[in-house]
Amino acid sequence: MSLQIAQLEWTLDLGLHGGAETFFADINADGRLEMITYQGPGIFGARAFCEQPKIKPFLPRHTAVSAFDMTGRILWTWGEPQASDRPYLSHGNEACVSVGDVDGDGRPEVVVALGDAVTVLDGVSGRERRSGSLPEDYFYIVHALDAPTGMREAAIVIKNSEAGYHGAPHGQPVMGLNRALELVWGPKTVPGGGHHILTVPMPDGRPGYWIGYCAVRPDGTIAWMADAIVPENLDARLQHVDYTDHWRAAAGRNIFAMAAGTPHGYVVADGGGTIFRVEDEHVQGVAGGRFVAGDDDAGDNRQVAFYNCHGDTAISLYDLRGKRLWRRKVARRHWDMSLMDLSMPDGTIRRFHRSRPKAVIYNRRYVWGYDVLF
């Protein structure tokens, strides 16, 4: 198999409005993707982190969200952007912003998690539609279902991403909010609840949430859980789901892939039946796609790529029978400055934290993309 080299297509200078996190979604229902940037502390804004000496001096002074078209033209900004001459820390887990039709009016909204509050913005104008307060300051992971919901169902799920208070497990609790931002279920523990939430089909065909190891209905009940998981045996700090992917394969079968942190990754089918499991030091990223060239375009021709982020930092590619096709080492990952020493052994400042692989780009070739923060 010949090695395909990715070619740079274009670059965009977002200037003052560029973000620590970038999201892609159709926010104005025009059939084209727009870019949304997030400037804010992420989970570092919670009191468990914000007063730490290695974090406090580097926190952003403001939270701002901006939207652009794909030419880089700014569409709107909510909040006050950071000064461009002042670097700042952010740890948002690619989850502080979500896009979907929250209130059922047929138009997308942009939902922003602010720790102790959640705000819904109009996708076209960026104007604030509504905002609600939350019972703690660590709710920085949010996901909009983007499907019709009743007033007693969750149109939005929001959760903690890191340390819990008062003995709560890592990454817990999870709460469901209706379209009026009223609490309809929770706070509750969802086994494996970590850093990423997806909208996926439930057994009755309606959309629901993929949280941790579980398919969760909009009413907050668990439809099913991955069968390899024994909830009472979980160490929440180590065994939570860092990243997920989902696709509909041949014969209508739904496939769910989980990068479940230390030390496992799972691929399961509808109902939670395990297709295969991988083991590595810290399985933190996953993506399904047709990464191997071939004429067969059937859904089951996909492969699954897992990213191990500690020690032997590598990407491994598997077919859907669990056979490893290859493994490639990649550049060693660097954590945020707050989580390690502020300087490298040679005295230079750590310049970036490579986040988990987050995008599969389909064109003539299939490329696994990275989000790299400089």
Side-chain angles (χ1 to χ4, degrees), residues 21 115 134 168 208 361:
E21 307 280 3
L134 300 172
I361 304 168

Side-chain angles (χ1 to χ4, degrees), residues 42-43 45-48 50 114-117 134-140 165:
I43 192 62
R47 66 180 183 273
C50 67
L114 300 167
D116 59 359
L134 300 172
E136 271 297 354
D137 64 359
Y138 48 41
F139 290 99
Y140 282 99
Y165 302 150

Side-chain angles (χ1 to χ4, degrees), residues 247-250 253-257 266-269 274-277 287-290 298-306 317-325:
W247 63 92
R248 195 169 183 83
R253 183 173 63 158
N254 286 292
I255 306 294
F256 307 86
Y266 301 91
V267 178
V268 303
T274 300
I275 299 174
F276 70 91
R277 184 182 81 167
R290 287 184 285 276
D300 281 343
N301 192 42
R302 291 186 186 230
Q303 299 81 40
V304 186
F306 282 100
L317 187 70
Y318 296 83
D319 64 20
L320 282 184
R321 295 168 296 178
K323 177 184 177 182
R324 192 168 79 184
L325 305 177

